[in-house]
């Protein structure tokens, strides 16, 4: 069959659950020239799919992972092989044996309500009813999800192989990939030990072999395989006579890093409690050689008894019936982890047509396959995948040592209670701004993001807390990684002047004769302004979804500085840039100080030869000037709702810039302020955070950023789609919690008239307002004053729909 744009040649590397699911999804969309290559024998080729225990718990703090799991349940429930369903919906049960875990289960129940998964918190007695073998005296409660269950991964692979084959796909086992051919930056073929297969698209769905395939394509795949223990007991008298594969919910005992499932009259037990056991993907044995060494398959390593012993003690404590049982069989099964625990998906820019669908567990397999198929066929997935995008990692996060260390830590933390602000412990510090030494001297409390050390508050400001009125007491969860110093820093910003380290924000330099036309076409707002103008704009995709938001400063006719969000923004622009446009990430070589507050002009004006008055240097304007001896690019922007500037300079002069501002500001009472205060101030103003408040699942009007779209100008990416959209059915809605002492953190479900109607995106206490501010996706048309409830750790907290901006609605504080 010859290749056509409507039916290109696709080679999928790997016939595990992801490869088989992808072949099915692609052929269902009309791409039928699909070849799936597998090095092992089908239908059980020896990768992670071949040994996966098949547990599918849909609920996850990530909305994206939950959506992927929901589709997997939906699809596998519709498939069968010889009358046997590919999904056994026995439900799921997670146990709490500590108050901390019970609170976590309440949060998980909140995620379930937010993302549309059925689930409820149940008593210890109900846990005993669902799993009679447990000793309920250990148990404080549980989280029961009736729609979870067991994915029969090999059966699902067979079912999808059959459907894809009937539409024209072919599956070839015993084909070991040895190379990837390319020409002019595009993939052209896959080379195997049994021939070469021409291709317009190649998808690596090779599981823990992903780094091996990636290296052939010249691409680093940030994936670390690790071995994980799984054991089966012998027959148990309590299960004698059982005929079904399983009748009880799949069970998690996360306080001991254990899970359980039935195998008819036996119990299978998985443990994450042992030391990380990393596996070199380049050293994994081929299928036949593994068998020759008495291994069941390449992904099945010998069971290490010494690692198992503590877990076996914990199992027998939870289930007294196991005290006389024996382990009949066990193995250490290999599967994939990434530095952040998320899959790695998408097309390489450096080798067009080469796709990754890696680090995908059975739980998310069909959902990932659908999303990648949509991406390939339609140009975009139907759900937000920015957390999974292969471009998301910074260069500093792609070293083999980083991937190994962070992958191993992800294994350790699989069942840990993780706070949304909890930073990684190692390797730190990795990236620091030029101000880091001064921040340490001021007692900065650092959290981490994108490898950067980010001050959240400064202990040097602790005496300022005494100037505040009484602050509401916080519960233990919301008090983590928080300090009342943040309130003092917010107050000091509103009343005086503060320095904020904005260095981690991404900065791109766009130059060349075609730069204006290019940026104007790629973004939603009007950039055809004189040099010195700064414009807030959006990167949209073809469907009008918000890929990112940007600030674009025109510094010269053919030179722009773009404030962006993630490596994906750089990748997106580079994919579309013509030859006469040059794009460079200048973040690491530059730095930025935000100088904000009503005294900001008093601080900077004496230090610069330029006029920083409102008349001479208006809002959303830029100047290249000097602060003392330091050349800076000054932009009149404010993400905190106060007068001020972002001051950019090169990294080598950053410390001099900070010291100059600090010395000049001492008589004004200048302070350094952190991201905790910053987040509070920006939410009081209603400023959106891309990736949290809005993603490419949302369009500008419903996200409340329609002002950044100029439909009256020449064509731009997404314009046609926006023109065709009807009235929004949902809105990003500001809420004020009614109780001045109440706090929520984000991702909680919001109830309208007693029913779940949406979820919180960002939330922070508004110290100026004396109320917690929460933004939430809710049905459009809820009038101001509407009462709602936000579920926070099992409690329904009343809140009210508010007008925005909540603070300084006339913008008088910024424009003065």
């Amino acid at each position: 069959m010859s290749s056509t744009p409507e039916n290109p040649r696709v080679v999928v590397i790997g016939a595990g659950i992801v490869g088989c699911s992808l072949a099915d999804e692609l052929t269902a969309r009309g791409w039928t020239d699909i070849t799936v290559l597998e090095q092992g024998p089908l239908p059980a080729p020896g990768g992670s799919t071949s040994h996966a225990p098949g547990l599918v718990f849909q609920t996850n703090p990530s909305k994206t992972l939950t959506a992927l799991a929901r589709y997997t349940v939906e699809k596998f429930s519709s498939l069968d092989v010889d009358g046997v369903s590919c999904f056994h919906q026995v439900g799921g049960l997670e146990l709490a044996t500590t108050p901390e875990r019970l609170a976590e289960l309440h949060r998980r129940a909140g995620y379930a309500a937010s993302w549309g998964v059925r689930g409820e918190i149940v008593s210890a007695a109900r846990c005993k009813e669902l799993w009679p073998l447990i000793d309920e005296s250990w148990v404080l409660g549980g989280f029961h999800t009736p729609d979870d269950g067991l994915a029969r991964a090999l059966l699902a692979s067979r079912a999808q192989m059959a459907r894809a084959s009937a539409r024209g796909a072919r599956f070839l086992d015993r084909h070991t990939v040895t190379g990837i051919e390319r020409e002019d930056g595009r993939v052209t073929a896959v080379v195997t030990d049994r021939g070469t297969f021409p291709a317009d698209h190649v998808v690596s769905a090779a599981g823990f072999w992903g780094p091996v395939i990636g290296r052939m394509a010249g691409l680093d795949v940030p994936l670390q395989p690790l071995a994980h223990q799984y054991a089966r007991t012998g027959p148990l008298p309590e299960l004698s006579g059982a005929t079904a594969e399983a009748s009880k919910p799949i069970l998690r005992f996360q306080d001991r890093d254990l899970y359980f499932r039935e195998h008819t009259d036996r119990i299978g037990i998985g443990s994450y409690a042992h030391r990380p056991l990393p596996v070199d993907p380049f050293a994994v044995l081929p299928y036949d050689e593994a068998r020759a060494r008495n291994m069941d398959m390449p992904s099945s390593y010998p069971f290490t008894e010494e690692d198992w012993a503590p877990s076996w003690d914990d199992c027998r404590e939870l289930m007294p019936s196991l005290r006389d049982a024996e382990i009949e069989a066990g193995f250490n099964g290999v599967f994939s982890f990434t530095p952040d625990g998320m899959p790695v998906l998408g097309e390489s820019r450096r080798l067009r047509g080469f796709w990754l669908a890696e680090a995908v567990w059975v739980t998310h397999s069909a959902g990932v396959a659908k999303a990648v198929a949509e991406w390939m066929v339609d140009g975009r997935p139907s759900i937000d995948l920015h957390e999974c995008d292969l471009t998301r990692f910074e260069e500093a996060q792609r070293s083999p040592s980083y991937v190994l260390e962070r992958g191993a830590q992800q294994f350790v933390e699989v069942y840990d209670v993780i706070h949304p602000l909890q930073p990684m412990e190692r390797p730190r510090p990795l990236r620091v701004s030029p101000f880091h030494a001064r921040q340490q001297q001021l007692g900065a409390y650092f959290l981490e993001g994108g490898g950067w050390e980010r001050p959240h508050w400064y202990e040097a400001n602790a005496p300022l807390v005494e100037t505040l009125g009484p602050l509401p007491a916080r519960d233990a969860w919301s008090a983590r990684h928080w300090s009342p110093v943040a309130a003092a820093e917010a107050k000091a910003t509103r009343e005086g002047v503060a320095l904020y380290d904005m260095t981690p924000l991404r900065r791109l330099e766009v130059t060349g004769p075609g730069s204006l036309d290019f940026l104007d076409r790629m973004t939603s707002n009007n950039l055809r302004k004189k040099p010195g103008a700064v414009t807030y704009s959006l990167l949209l995709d073809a469907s009008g979804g918000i890929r990112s938001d940007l600030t674009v400063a025109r510094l010269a006719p053919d030179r722009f500085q773009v404030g962006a969000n993630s490596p994906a923004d750089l990748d997106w622009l580079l994919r579309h840039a013509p030859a006469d446009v040059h794009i460079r990430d200048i973040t690491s070589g530059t730095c930025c100080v935000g100088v904000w507050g009503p005294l900001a002009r008093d601080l900077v004006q004496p230090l610069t030869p330029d006029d920083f008055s409102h008349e001479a240097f208006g809002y959303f304007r830029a100047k290249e000037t000097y602060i003392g001896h330091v050349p800076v690019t000054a932009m009149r922007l404010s993400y905190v709702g106060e007068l001020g500037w972002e001051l950019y300079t090169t990294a080598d002069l950053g410390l001099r810039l900070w010291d100059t501002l600090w010395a000049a500001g001492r008589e004004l009472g200048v302070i350094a302020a952190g991201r905790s205060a910053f987040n509070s101030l920006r939410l009081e103003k209603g400023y959106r955070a891309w990736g949290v408040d809005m993603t490419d699942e949302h369009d500008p009007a419903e996200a409340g950023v329609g002002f950044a779209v100029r439909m009256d100008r020449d064509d731009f990416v997404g314009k046609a789609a926006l023109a065709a959209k009807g009235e929004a059915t949902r809105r990003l809605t500001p809420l004020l919690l009614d109780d001045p002492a109440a706090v929520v953190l984000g991702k909680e479900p919001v109830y309208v008239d007693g029913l779940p109607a949406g979820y919180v995106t960002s939330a922070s206490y508004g110290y100026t307002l004396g109320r917690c501010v929460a933004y939430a996706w809710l049905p459009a048309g809820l009038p101001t004053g509407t009462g709602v409830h936000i579920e926070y750790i099992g409690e329904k907290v009343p809140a009210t729909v508010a007008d925005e901006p909540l603070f300084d609605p006339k913008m008088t504080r910024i424009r003065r």
Side-chain angles (χ1 to χ4, degrees):
M1 184 183 296
S2 61
S3 171
T4 67
E6 295 77 23
N7 193 26
R9 298 166 299 186
V10 180
V11 174
V12 178
I13 301 172
I17 189 64
V18 177
C20 293
S21 297
L22 181 59
D24 183 47
E25 295 287 341
L26 286 172
T27 55
R29 287 166 174 76
W31 283 19
T32 56
D33 190 355
I34 311 292
T35 301
V36 183
L37 302 174
E38 175 54 58
Q39 63 179 346
L42 291 174
S48 299
T49 300
S50 301
H51 70 246
L55 282 69
V56 176
F57 286 91
Q58 298 171 84
T59 305
N60 193 283
S62 165
K63 179 175 179 286
T64 295
L65 287 188
T66 302
L68 297 173
R70 286 181 62 191
Y71 181 77
T72 299
V73 168
E74 175 188 328
K75 183 176 187 182
F76 288 179
S77 296
S78 72
L79 299 175
D80 70 87
V81 175
D82 299 329
V84 178
S85 174
C86 294
F87 191 79
H88 191 20
Q89 203 158 50
V90 292
L93 179 63
E94 303 178 46
L95 302 179
T97 61
T98 66
E100 294 77 15
R101 181 66 62 178
L102 186 59
E104 172 71 359
L105 294 189
H106 277 287
R107 286 187 288 271
R108 289 182 61 76
Y111 300 143
S114 290
W115 315 144
V117 175
R118 288 201 303 156
E120 62 174 341
I121 299 296
V122 296
S123 67
R126 178 60 177 151
C127 292
K128 177 71 171 178
E129 290 177 12
L130 291 166
W131 253 90
L133 274 62
I134 67 172
D135 178 356
E136 76 272 24
S137 68
W138 273 56
V139 179
L140 300 180
F143 176 44
H144 181 223
T145 46
D147 298 328
D148 290 338
L150 296 167
R152 298 182 172 111
L154 286 177
L155 278 188
S157 296
R158 287 175 56 193
Q160 293 176 105
M161 285 172 61
R163 297 195 337 171
S165 297
R167 301 186 192 112
R170 57 177 176 166
F171 292 78
L172 304 177
D173 63 3
R174 302 290 189 173
H175 282 66
T176 299
V177 175
T178 59
I180 307 292
E181 293 186 349
R182 70 200 80 183
E183 185 176 334
D184 296 328
R186 283 203 64 89
V187 69
T188 58
V190 176
V191 182
T192 76
D193 58 350
R194 297 175 64 181
T196 297
F197 296 84
D200 303 300
H201 296 273
V202 173
V203 185
S204 177
F208 56 76
W209 284 288
V212 179
I213 302 301
R215 181 173 293 182
M216 296 178 192
L219 183 68
D220 291 329
V221 179
L223 176 161
Q224 177 60 53
L226 288 107
H228 155 63
Q229 290 202 300
Y230 191 77
R232 290 194 194 194
T233 69
L236 299 178
E238 292 81 358
L239 300 180
S240 63
T243 57
E245 176 189 3
S247 60
K248 302 173 185 60
I250 50 178
L251 182 69
R252 276 174 165 170
F253 181 22
Q254 290 152 300
D255 290 323
R256 292 295 186 274
D257 295 311
L258 293 165
Y259 64 81
F260 304 82
R261 58 153 294 181
E262 296 166 282
H263 292 281
T264 312
D265 62 348
R266 295 162 169 79
I267 292 180
I269 308 165
S271 172
Y272 293 99
H274 55 83
R275 62 195 167 97
L277 299 168
V279 172
D280 180 356
F282 295 90
V284 175
L285 297 175
Y287 185 91
D288 291 329
E289 189 173 340
R291 297 283 289 178
R293 297 194 187 187
N294 295 319
M295 296 167 60
D296 287 340
M297 59 190 78
S299 62
S300 178
Y301 279 52
F303 193 63
T304 48
E305 295 282 356
E306 66 276 14
D307 292 309
W308 175 253
S311 291
W312 186 226
D313 290 340
D314 290 333
C315 293
R316 290 182 289 189
E317 287 291 328
L318 179 67
M319 297 186 189
S321 58
L322 296 180
R323 290 172 187 170
D324 297 324
E326 298 292 335
I327 295 300
E328 185 176 73
F331 65 96
N332 291 0
V334 182
F335 62 136
S336 302
F337 286 82
T338 59
D340 59 4
M342 301 293 287
V344 181
L345 312 177
E347 182 191 20
S348 168
R349 175 176 51 82
R350 292 185 174 88
L351 183 58
R352 299 295 183 90
F354 183 81
W355 296 76
L356 294 179
E358 297 291 9
V360 181
W361 293 6
V362 171
T363 300
H364 312 109
S365 54
V368 163
K370 177 188 177 187
V372 173
E374 291 171 335
W375 207 343
M376 296 174 71
V377 176
D378 304 327
R380 70 181 299 273
S382 58
I383 67 169
D384 166 46
L385 290 182
H386 83 272
E387 293 176 308
C388 309
D389 195 302
L390 64 86
T391 65
R392 70 186 182 272
F393 295 108
E394 303 285 346
E395 196 64 33
Q397 297 173 309
R398 304 186 72 93
S399 70
S401 58
Y402 185 94
V403 173
L404 170 60
E405 189 166 0
R406 293 304 307 152
Q409 189 62 26
Q410 288 296 327
F411 177 92
V412 170
E413 295 176 353
V414 161
Y415 283 167
D416 285 2
V417 176
I418 303 294
H419 192 275
L421 292 176
Q422 182 171 320
M424 65 182 190
E425 295 179 0
R426 299 183 311 274
R428 291 181 65 194
L430 185 62
R431 308 175 79 187
V432 298
S433 81
F435 324 129
H436 187 251
R438 298 293 184 264
Q439 293 165 344
Q440 289 179 306
Q441 292 165 5
L442 293 169
Y445 182 86
F446 291 102
L447 298 180
E448 181 271 343
W452 287 100
E453 295 296 314
R454 301 184 179 202
H456 273 241
W457 67 83
Y458 296 85
E459 286 300 326
N461 297 324
L464 298 177
V465 175
E466 299 175 3
T467 68
L468 303 173
L471 290 173
R474 289 208 170 201
D475 67 278
W477 187 248
S478 65
R480 288 194 195 181
H481 306 296
W482 174 85
S483 168
V485 173
E489 292 176 0
K491 181 173 185 285
T493 306
R494 291 277 188 241
E495 296 178 356
V497 60
L499 306 184
Y500 287 81
D501 180 3
M502 306 302 289
T503 300
L505 299 185
R506 184 165 305 277
R507 291 171 291 284
L508 309 178
E509 182 183 72
V510 182
T511 59
S515 54
L516 175 59
D517 290 341
F518 169 67
L519 289 172
D520 203 47
R521 183 177 73 253
M522 295 299 297
T523 66
S524 64
N525 213 333
N526 176 29
L527 304 184
R528 296 187 180 279
K529 303 171 183 176
K530 294 179 180 179
V534 183
T535 306
Y536 177 78
S537 193
L538 306 173
L539 280 182
L540 305 177
D541 62 23
S543 71
I546 304 170
R547 287 190 55 93
S548 189
D549 62 343
L550 312 173
T551 54
V552 183
R554 192 177 189 188
L555 303 179
D558 295 337
R559 180 165 61 92
F560 296 80
Q561 181 171 308
V562 177
N565 285 296
S566 76
D569 296 344
L570 173 62
D571 185 83
W572 177 255
L573 292 172
L574 287 171
R575 284 175 186 269
H576 294 88
D580 62 349
V581 173
H582 308 287
I583 305 171
R584 187 167 64 99
D585 189 330
I586 60 172
T587 309
S588 297
T590 55
C591 59
C592 178
V593 181
V595 184
W596 290 313
L599 299 181
R601 185 175 286 115
D602 298 290
L603 174 54
V604 297
Q605 183 61 84
L607 301 174
T608 179
D610 279 281
D611 185 352
F612 271 46
S613 69
H614 182 65
E615 294 73 21
F617 197 160
Y619 193 50
F620 269 89
R621 299 293 298 172
K623 284 186 180 183
E624 293 181 295
T625 182
Y626 291 86
I627 296 293
H629 297 95
V630 180
V632 299
T633 299
M635 297 187 197
R636 178 103 182 264
L637 305 174
S638 175
Y639 205 51
V640 300
E642 295 293 336
L643 171 69
W645 289 265
E646 293 177 358
L647 302 175
Y648 298 89
T649 191
T650 53
D652 60 324
L653 290 168
L655 192 58
R656 182 60 177 261
L657 175 62
W658 180 279
D659 288 346
T660 300
L661 293 167
W662 189 260
R666 291 187 66 176
E667 61 186 43
L668 298 173
V670 69
I671 68 162
R675 292 189 66 85
S676 187
F678 178 87
N679 199 46
S680 171
L681 297 169
R682 71 102 180 165
L683 279 171
E684 290 184 328
K685 285 297 294 179
Y687 294 147
R688 278 56 168 156
W690 185 86
V692 179
D693 298 316
M694 56 190 185
T695 69
D696 61 7
E697 290 185 0
H698 310 111
D699 68 50
E702 60 191 13
V705 289
F707 62 87
V709 179
R710 288 288 299 272
M711 295 294 288
D712 59 347
R713 65 179 186 83
D714 291 341
D715 194 26
F716 57 87
V717 174
K719 180 180 179 180
L722 293 183
K725 286 184 180 291
E727 283 293 314
T729 59
R730 59 183 176 177
R731 296 281 184 187
L732 186 60
T733 305
L735 305 174
L736 278 176
L737 274 60
D738 294 352
D739 182 353
V743 173
V744 299
L745 300 181
K747 299 188 178 181
E748 297 90 355
V750 182
Y751 292 78
V752 178
D753 296 329
L755 298 174
Y759 60 91
V760 174
T761 58
S762 295
S764 180
Y765 200 85
Y767 301 109
T768 317
L769 301 172
R771 292 285 193 281
C772 184
V773 180
Y775 271 76
W777 281 104
L778 290 172
L782 292 179
T784 300
T786 300
V788 302
H789 286 85
I790 303 172
E791 185 177 333
Y792 178 73
I793 317 183
E795 299 292 329
K796 295 291 200 315
V797 179
T800 302
V801 174
D803 279 328
E804 61 175 340
L806 303 168
F807 175 77
D808 188 28
K810 296 183 179 180
M811 304 287 281
T812 56
R813 298 177 71 90
I814 293 176
R815 303 177 188 274
R816 59 182 175 182

